[in-house]
Amino acid sequence: MRSLVSAAAESWVPWALAAAVFAALTAIFAKLGVEAVGSDFATFVRTLVVVVVLAALLTATGQWQAPGTVPGRTWLFLGLSGLATGASWLCYFRALKLGDAARVAPLDKLSVVLVAIFGAAVLGERLSAANWAGVALIAAGALLVAYRG
């Protein structure tokens, strides 16, 4: 039993599924939380919570790293990722403020489609015909869920 738990913890699949669950909860909690405040302020509060929780996690697990041990290229791409995350969160919270969570979240998940395209174009990742069919179905599904008809 221990090896099964250990194997699951080292696989990307349970982590990705957990991320999906937390992303779904994020949409619901954010929609409820953004009702009485501005979307940018809501994003700020969310960001503070993330910073505090991650600082506690790094402290508890002893994973702090000296900044000098991080290569410059890593700083660049993590910084760009942070800017993209911030922009995504600002846009997401604004969309939640204005629209239904059940329609906003699927359009936000078009990021899955874009990651596949960017992964192939920028990172040289290769997807099979079945994988691309799945990407197309995700895109179609997201658009159908977001459609008000």
Side-chain angles (χ1 to χ4, degrees):
M1 181 65 173
R2 171 104 169 114
S3 62
L4 182 62
V5 172
S6 177
E10 293 177 17
S11 170
W12 62 268
V13 175
W15 293 105
L17 292 173
V21 170
F22 288 122
L25 291 173
T26 296
I28 300 306
F29 294 153
K31 180 63 179 177
L32 294 169
V34 79
E35 288 177 358
V37 298
S39 60
D40 293 345
F41 182 76
T43 304
F44 175 73
V45 170
R46 174 189 183 182
T47 303
L48 288 178
V49 170
V50 170
V51 168
V52 169
V53 170
L54 283 175
L57 177 69
L58 289 171
T59 300
T61 60
Q63 293 185 61
W64 283 104
Q65 241 179 283
T69 66
V70 179
R73 184 175 200 272
T74 299
W75 280 114
L76 171 66
F77 285 111
L78 289 178
L80 290 171
S81 175
L83 290 172
T85 297
S88 172
W89 288 2
L90 287 167
C91 294
Y92 186 68
F93 271 62
R94 180 71 48 92
L96 281 174
K97 180 82 172 174
L98 300 171
D100 296 335
R103 289 192 172 87
V104 169
L107 285 184
D108 175 65
K109 296 310 172 213
L110 283 175
S111 62
V112 173
V113 174
L114 295 173
V115 167
I117 294 167
F118 296 160
V122 176
L123 303 175
E125 296 177 353
R126 302 175 73 72
L127 297 175
S128 69
N131 297 146
W132 283 114
V135 169
L137 288 170
I138 291 168
L143 294 173
L144 285 171
V145 173
Y147 174 71
R148 186 181 290 265

